[in-house]
Amino acid sequence: MSAPAVRTGVWFIGARGSVATTATAGCAALAAGLHPAAGMVTETEPFAGSGLPPVGSLVFGGHDTLDCPLPKRAEVLAAGGVLPHGLPSAVSSELAAADAEIRPGGPLPGDTRTDDELVTAFAADLTDFTRRNGLARTVVVNVASTEPAPEPGAPRLPASSLYAAAALRAGCPYVNFTPSTGLRTPALQAAVAASALPHAGRDGKTGQTLLRSVLAPMFVQRALPVRAWSGTNLLGGGDGAALADPAAAAAKNAGKERVLADTLGAAPEGEVHIDDVPALGDWKTAWDHIAFDGFLGARMVLQTTWQGCDSALAAPLVLDLARLLARAHEVGLTGPRPELGFYFKDPDGGPAALSAQYLALLSFAERLRGEK
């Protein structure tokens, strides 16, 4: 008689949002063989034999303050061209099962619970999810909308940090795919150190910043001084609405600027502007204008245009990270995992150039392959 299959939990913060819905529906589609695993680095040859949990072994749940059921949310995404036509129907049972595992998030307006009471409640949800489903472990992944950076001396932890604290308390590896604070608050540093849990973040690199992390090393390696680098993002959907808040946009832009500063040695002139265009839905357009000097001071310009869907770009990366952190936890790795900086704008250490980050990731895969 064969042993029961080992299953791994993926707990999304923002479980009914576009990224989480796309990842949940996409994972079901991959497990059923309906679509190839485009965009999933962990499904490429270098990761074969690394002991990552199979896509079909992932079980989804999460927290959210929204009440739109996942099957309905998937239908909306399919109508907008984010998910393939017919996919919500094909994986409706998997979406319904994941939706049944979503618990109310917070704090909601009028919620009088203290930070510790909220963390205790969120941690209990995680522990219950893991126990009821017979999971080997659960990885918590924050894909909620960007929150403004907390004010100095704020009396309460930001919501992202409450969820992160709950992950620590429940013994769950943690990924922060957003620019929000998460684990990066002094109030949690002692708990992070004591938890001995692997974690990774911050702010997933999906579009404009991915391109910046490829182009910036080119200018450095070819000794071409960059005089200015400006950009504009047009986007709609939940992210567009959230980033219409200047404080949230500032938190988002900090990671974009760090990629250039780390690679070029200093931040060039120029800013990134983010405009909410609701008509675009989950699609975005990003422009960059790069002014640089050539031989004998010749003034030159490179302009780029990136058009894509952030949810479809982010979903495979989220699945990658959940699998990688689950395996890291299984083999006893702890603390921040700089090898996963490949996925982030503002990573926990590691090299800044994408090519170097990729090599670090491949080395990590080799390390996992050698662990028992």
Side-chain angles (χ1 to χ4, degrees):
M1 185 173 181
S2 60
V6 175
R7 300 199 301 167
T8 298
V10 180
W11 187 269
F12 286 128
I13 308 303
R16 292 191 171 111
S18 296
V19 174
T21 305
T22 304
T24 303
C27 188
L30 297 182
L34 301 178
H35 289 273
M40 284 190 68
V41 181
T42 54
E43 284 296 292
T44 60
E45 180 58 32
F47 291 85
S50 294
L52 304 182
V55 169
S57 73
L58 302 181
V59 180
F60 295 93
H63 282 116
D64 209 318
T65 57
L66 304 177
D67 57 8
C68 178
L70 276 183
K72 177 63 177 177
R73 181 68 180 132
E75 290 173 4
V76 172
L77 292 176
V82 178
L83 295 179
H85 177 72
L87 182 61
S89 297
V91 298
S92 60
S93 60
E94 290 89 343
L95 289 170
D99 192 69
E101 296 289 357
I102 297 176
R103 300 294 179 261
L108 292 168
D111 194 332
T112 60
R113 287 177 291 178
T114 65
D115 283 359
D116 189 66
E117 288 171 335
L118 286 163
V119 170
T120 298
F122 296 157
D125 290 336
L126 280 163
T127 302
D128 179 63
F129 170 72
T130 304
R131 177 188 56 78
R132 283 188 299 99
N133 289 285
L135 307 176
R137 60 191 47 82
T138 295
V139 180
V140 175
V141 185
N142 182 17
V143 288
S145 295
T146 301
E147 65 188 14
E151 294 291 335
R156 301 201 63 167
L157 288 173
S160 65
S161 295
L162 296 175
Y163 293 120
L168 298 178
R169 191 171 295 183
C172 298
Y174 174 81
V175 178
N176 188 2
F177 203 74
T178 82
S180 301
T181 304
L183 291 177
R184 293 194 191 179
T185 173
L188 293 183
Q189 293 316 294
V192 171
S195 72
L197 292 166
H199 56 88
R202 173 172 67 167
D203 197 4
K205 184 165 52 184
T206 56
Q208 183 183 45
T209 310
L210 174 64
L211 197 58
R212 287 179 165 212
S213 67
V214 173
L215 290 174
M218 176 193 73
F219 289 106
V220 173
Q221 292 161 10
R222 291 295 296 270
L224 298 171
V226 174
R227 293 186 292 110
W229 198 317
S230 300
T232 296
N233 275 266
L234 308 178
L235 69 161
D239 270 354
L243 295 173
D245 178 351
K252 183 75 171 178
N253 285 337
K256 293 178 180 289
E257 293 167 358
R258 178 184 169 179
V259 168
L260 295 182
D262 285 354
T263 307
L264 300 176
E269 293 181 8
E271 298 178 347
V272 176
H273 297 276
I274 300 176
D275 295 327
D276 178 24
V277 185
L280 293 178
D282 285 279
W283 297 83
K284 70 180 291 184
T285 296
W287 294 303
D288 272 59
H289 184 284
I290 308 160
F292 64 99
D293 290 339
F295 190 54
L296 303 179
R299 296 292 182 95
M300 299 188 233
V301 168
L302 172 64
Q303 295 179 330
T304 67
T305 302
W306 177 285
Q307 293 179 307
C309 173
D310 256 6
S311 301
L313 291 164
L317 308 185
V318 164
L319 294 174
D320 276 352
L321 286 161
R323 299 172 78 198
L324 288 162
L325 260 292
R327 175 61 173 156
H329 185 251
E330 179 184 10
V331 301
L333 299 182
T334 64
R337 304 315 313 171
E339 308 95 334
L340 303 184
F342 173 78
Y343 291 98
F344 299 102
K345 298 181 182 73
D346 185 14
D348 293 321
L354 189 69
S355 57
Q357 289 175 335
Y358 181 61
L359 292 176
L361 180 63
L362 295 185
S363 295
F364 188 56
E366 186 64 30
R367 179 178 181 181
L368 294 179
R369 189 177 296 113
E371 297 283 352
K372 301 299 182 184

